[in-house]
């Protein structure tokens, strides 16, 4: 990465930081206001990034210059907004950053020991009035002099350290340490995720080479049919920096957002500082989160958008939603849809909860302002205005979401006649049977894989019970209608691999927290019992819908990551209650049990970061001892030299236009790296096969050379007569006579 690329990459970061200042809530009583500002800033930035790609793609100007101008304009706008926010705060005598309460800085006060005021309700399109800070377990901070924002933040941090309960600094330090080490790994490791080699990163390279978003002939349909939201973000870094050296930072940033938002959700549900730290700790030490935070996968990005939607919805349970939050909900919905459609399984129920809460608030307000005698002896008249406002808000959310995801869906519909893509995509992942017996079997298999442990006898016993039970109720446990591809259940998932590692500890804690939140919510959050139970119902609904809609697959655990992020706040709340509401010997037992679970969780997170695959700190394949090229091939080490061998032969031949022969799950990305032009420009790679009916492949006679992966026989069929074909294991090439 060049020095100029490094400087350009700073522009989006600076813009987001300025937006956080500009997006700070005006009310000092907002729940976790700094985290709310982060949510607003990342949603606005994410939507802007997607729309920039769509607009520049439509105008065939996906270039570094165009993206640089776009981000400079955004930076100027963010700086102007931050300046206005600062001046407004100065006039009011309060700095814009005076009120934030970071996850590790809220005073250790439990909501169970004092009343929590009810959030205010506002009408019209003005700014939202957030619920008081007491809902997060912290008293509202006192106003301070203007211009002392950073000093106030430092004072809050010092006070938090001074008043911290035993264990809280350790929780915060562990979370911070993991995040920083993950950042180091993300910076040192080259992208080496399997799917990224096949379609995530080739997709980005095709856009760069074309200068637009038009579909292209390809044998790998996922390059054009899978929602591209995460790759849109990678495209910004690719064009600004000229390479892929910072690609891992997108998921790392998404992981940080997940931690912050999950902690805010805990605060909104009545959790104090310790509950928020416990939530962040459990989530940060979950191996799937640890491993994906250094990857070019897409699951953490999807989870971050879903979590942002969830925290905005929770704000709407206690107050009427203003236009700004409606736009945020629309952006979160659209960004989820354009990143990974499975995330909508959770966003849908969340929006339903928001709509019901808004109707309830409107009706309550209308009833309070109506004379009981005129209301027919105390009955509540239906609030026509409140209904219209809720319906209008819902329409606005959907419109904003359509603006974000609509262009991609329009291209897919035009290409395949269906917004969800070709039949092979619509039938491969979604469940094709929905009878109760099949859904139960699918749910049990998903649960078995999600809760897998290194205890092989336990895994085998559980799988045998599920298989026997499935056969007893007339369901084939390997039925293709409920099983992805040709995969076979069961499949070990305990090993710390980014694509399939299980989450038994976080999952078990979340299940316990959800059960108690549903059955005895006042035990966890006495003043927020209704909101807590409603949220638990939404999380449970999302999980049930997931098991009813998504087929079992060995790597299905990562598809559940959005649900894990939503559910962990329930675990944090329950753990805090466990540590708080015990007396005598029972308290000692509860404390020992909680500490043991947390220590085990920390150990799992540290081991995943140290020895996880395919990026690790120590052992074979360490990011400190493995070369950049070999790091890219840790999934398939034997292919590293084969790709280089073929690419060298093709380059030495002087070939310019190069044909690709590959199958649906083959690696394409190494060709984009190895066959670049001498000036760093994209190689002229064209597919000699195509699964897109309207996009015919190139004629083999029109290319100067052919590179192949996978099947030698399939390659030989496309090589023109008289050409020389060489193959070495997985990789081959073909050259015409005389080259």
């Amino acid at each position: 990465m060049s020095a100029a690329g490094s400087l350009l990459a700073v522009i989006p970061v600076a813009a987001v930081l300025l937006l956080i200042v500009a997006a700070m809530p005006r009310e000092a009583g907002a729940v976790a206001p700094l985290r709310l500002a982060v949510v607003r800033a990342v949603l606005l930035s994410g939507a802007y990034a997607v729309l920039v790609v769509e607009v520049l793609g439509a105008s065939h100007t996906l270039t570094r210059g165009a993206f640089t101008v776009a981000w400079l304009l955004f930076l100027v706008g963010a700086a102007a907004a931050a300046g206005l926010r600062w001046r407004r705060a100065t006039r009011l005598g309060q700095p814009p950053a005076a009120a934030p309460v970071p996850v590790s800085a809220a005073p250790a006060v439990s909501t169970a020991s004092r009343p929590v005021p009810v959030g205010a309700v506002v009408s019209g399109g003005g700014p939202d009035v957030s619920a008081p800070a007491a809902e997060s377990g912290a008293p509202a901070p006192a106003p301070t002099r203007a211009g002392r924002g950073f000093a106030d933040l430092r004072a809050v941090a010092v006070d938090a350290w001074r008043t911290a309960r035993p264990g809280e600094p350790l929780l915060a330090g562990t979370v911070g340490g993991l995040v920083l080490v993950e950042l180091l790994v993300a910076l040192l490791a080259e992208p080496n995720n399997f799917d990224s080699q096949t379609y995530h990163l080739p997709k980005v390279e095709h856009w760069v080479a074309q200068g637009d978003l038009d579909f292209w002939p390809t044998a790998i349909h996922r390059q054009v049919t899978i929602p591209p939201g995460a790759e849109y973000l990678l495209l910004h870094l690719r064009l600004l920096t000229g390479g892929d050296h910072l690609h891992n930072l997108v998921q790392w940033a998404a992981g940080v957002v997940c931690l912050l938002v999950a902690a805010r959700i805990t605060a909104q549900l009545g959790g104090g500082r310790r509950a928020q730290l416990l939530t962040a700790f459990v989530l940060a030490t979950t191996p799937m989160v640890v491993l994906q935070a250094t990857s070019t996968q897409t699951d953490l990005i999807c989870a971050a958008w879903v979590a942002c939607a969830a925290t905005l919805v929770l704000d709407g349970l206690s107050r009427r939603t203003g236009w700004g939050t409606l736009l945020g909900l629309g952006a979160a919905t659209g960004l989820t849809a354009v990143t990974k459609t499975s995330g909508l399984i959770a966003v849908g129920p969340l929006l339903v909860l928001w709509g019901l809460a808004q109707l309830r608030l409107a009706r309550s307000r209308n009833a309070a302002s109506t004379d009981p005698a005129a209301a027919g002896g105390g009955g509540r008249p239906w609030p026509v205005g409140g209904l219209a406002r809720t319906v209008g808000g819902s329409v606005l959310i959907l419109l904003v979401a359509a603006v974000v995801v609509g262009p991609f869906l329009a291209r897919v519909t035009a290409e395949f006649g269906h917004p969800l893509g070709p039949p092979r995509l619509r039938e491969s992942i979604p469940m094709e049977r929905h009878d109760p017996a099949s859904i139960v079997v699918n749910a049990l298999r998903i649960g078995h894989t999600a809760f897998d442990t290194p205890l092989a006898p336990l895994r085998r016993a559980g799988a045998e019970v599920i298989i026997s039970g499935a056969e007893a109720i007339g369901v084939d446990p390997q039925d293709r209608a409920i099983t992805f591809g040709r995969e076979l259940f069961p499949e070990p998932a305990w090993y710390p691999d980014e694509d399939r590692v299980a989450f038994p500890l976080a999952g078990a804690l979340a299940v316990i927290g959800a059960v108690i939140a549903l059955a005895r919510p006042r035990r966890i959050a006495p003043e927020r019992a209704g909101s807590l139970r409603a949220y638990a119902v939404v999380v449970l609904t999302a999980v049930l819908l997931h098991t009813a809609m998504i087929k079992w697959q060995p790597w299905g655990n990562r598809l559940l990551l959005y649900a894990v992020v939503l559910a962990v706040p329930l675990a944090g709340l329950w753990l805090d209650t466990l540590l708080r509401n015990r007396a005598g010997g029972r308290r000692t037992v509860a404390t020992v049990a909680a500490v043991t679970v947390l220590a085990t969780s920390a150990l799992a997170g540290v081991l995943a970061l140290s020895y996880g695959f395919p990026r690790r700190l120590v052992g074979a394949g360490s990011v400190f001892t493995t070369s950049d090229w070999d790091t890219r091939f840790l999934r398939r080490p034997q292919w590293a030299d084969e790709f280089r061998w073929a690419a060298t032969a093709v380059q030495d031949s002087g070939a310019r236009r190069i044909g690709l022969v590959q199958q649906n799950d083959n690696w394409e990305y190494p060709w984009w790296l190895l066959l670049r032009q001498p000036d760093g420009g994209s190689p002229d790679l064209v597919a000699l096969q195509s699964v897109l009916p309207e996009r015919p492949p190139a004629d083999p006679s029109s290319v100067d050379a052919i590179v192949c992966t996978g099947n030698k026989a399939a390659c030989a069929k496309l090589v023109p007569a008289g050409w020389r074909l060489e193959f070495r294991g997985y990789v081959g090439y073909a050259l015409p006579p005389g080259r």
Side-chain angles (χ1 to χ4, degrees), residues 234-578:
L234 294 178
L235 177 62
H236 286 266
L237 287 178
R238 169 65 175 85
L239 286 172
L240 292 176
T241 67
D244 61 9
H245 306 289
L246 300 183
H247 280 8
N248 292 331
L249 294 185
V250 175
Q251 279 259 113
W252 177 83
V256 173
V257 171
C258 286
L259 293 177
L260 294 174
V261 179
R264 183 172 193 263
I265 290 172
T266 305
Q268 291 172 290
L269 295 175
R273 181 174 63 193
R274 185 172 61 186
Q276 297 171 54
L277 283 170
L278 288 167
T279 295
F281 181 89
V282 172
L283 187 58
T285 55
T286 300
M288 179 66 77
V289 175
V290 171
L291 294 169
Q292 288 235 356
T294 62
S295 171
T296 47
Q297 259 298 1
T298 62
D299 304 284
L300 265 180
I301 300 172
C302 174
W305 302 137
V306 174
C308 287
T311 196
L312 295 180
V313 165
L314 286 176
D315 278 340
L317 299 189
S318 57
R319 68 177 187 271
R320 298 293 294 277
T321 300
W323 295 114
T325 302
L326 289 174
L327 294 174
L329 284 170
T333 303
L335 289 168
T336 301
V338 81
T339 300
K340 212 175 190 73
T341 50
S342 57
L344 295 176
I345 294 173
V347 173
L350 283 167
L351 293 179
V352 170
L353 175 62
W354 170 84
L356 294 175
Q358 291 296 294
L359 289 175
R360 177 185 59 81
L361 289 170
R363 191 174 188 186
S364 299
R365 183 181 183 191
N366 194 59
S369 62
T370 303
D371 189 333
R380 291 183 179 180
W382 188 257
V384 177
L387 176 61
R389 173 173 172 163
T390 302
V391 172
S394 302
V395 171
L396 178 60
I397 291 171
L398 296 178
L399 286 176
V400 173
V403 169
V404 175
V405 72
F408 167 71
L409 294 181
R411 289 194 298 275
V412 173
T413 303
E415 190 73 29
F416 301 103
H418 195 288
L420 298 182
R424 65 185 300 175
L425 177 63
R426 302 197 304 270
E427 296 169 2
S428 61
I429 297 177
M431 287 275 285
E432 297 177 80
R433 289 181 57 178
H434 297 92
D435 56 286
S438 296
I439 292 174
V440 168
V441 171
N442 193 55
L444 291 174
R445 294 183 306 165
I446 289 175
H448 180 274
T449 304
F451 288 88
D452 190 23
T453 69
L455 304 176
L458 181 62
R459 181 190 312 118
R460 287 195 297 267
E464 290 172 1
V465 169
I466 293 173
I467 292 173
S468 300
E471 294 171 346
I473 61 177
V475 177
D476 178 4
Q478 314 298 350
D479 186 354
R480 298 302 102 189
I482 62 174
T483 305
F484 180 85
R486 301 179 182 275
E487 306 301 325
L488 295 176
F489 173 83
E491 182 74 21
W494 65 269
Y495 185 79
D497 184 298
E498 67 173 352
D499 285 335
R500 63 179 68 199
V501 63
F503 32 82
L505 284 176
L509 292 173
V511 168
I512 296 172
V515 169
I516 296 178
L518 290 169
R520 301 180 64 183
R522 294 189 180 279
R523 179 180 175 184
I524 297 179
E527 303 297 334
R528 302 287 292 173
S531 297
L532 177 60
R533 177 176 282 166
Y535 182 78
V537 167
V538 167
V539 173
L540 177 62
T541 300
V543 173
L544 293 178
L545 287 174
H546 185 101
T547 60
M549 298 173 67
I550 306 295
K551 293 178 179 177
W552 175 86
Q553 49 191 283
W555 43 89
N557 287 342
R558 65 181 180 81
L559 302 183
L560 272 170
L561 193 53
Y562 72 90
V564 174
V565 173
L566 291 185
V568 165
L570 302 175
L573 288 165
W574 174 69
L575 284 171
D576 183 57
T577 303
L578 187 68

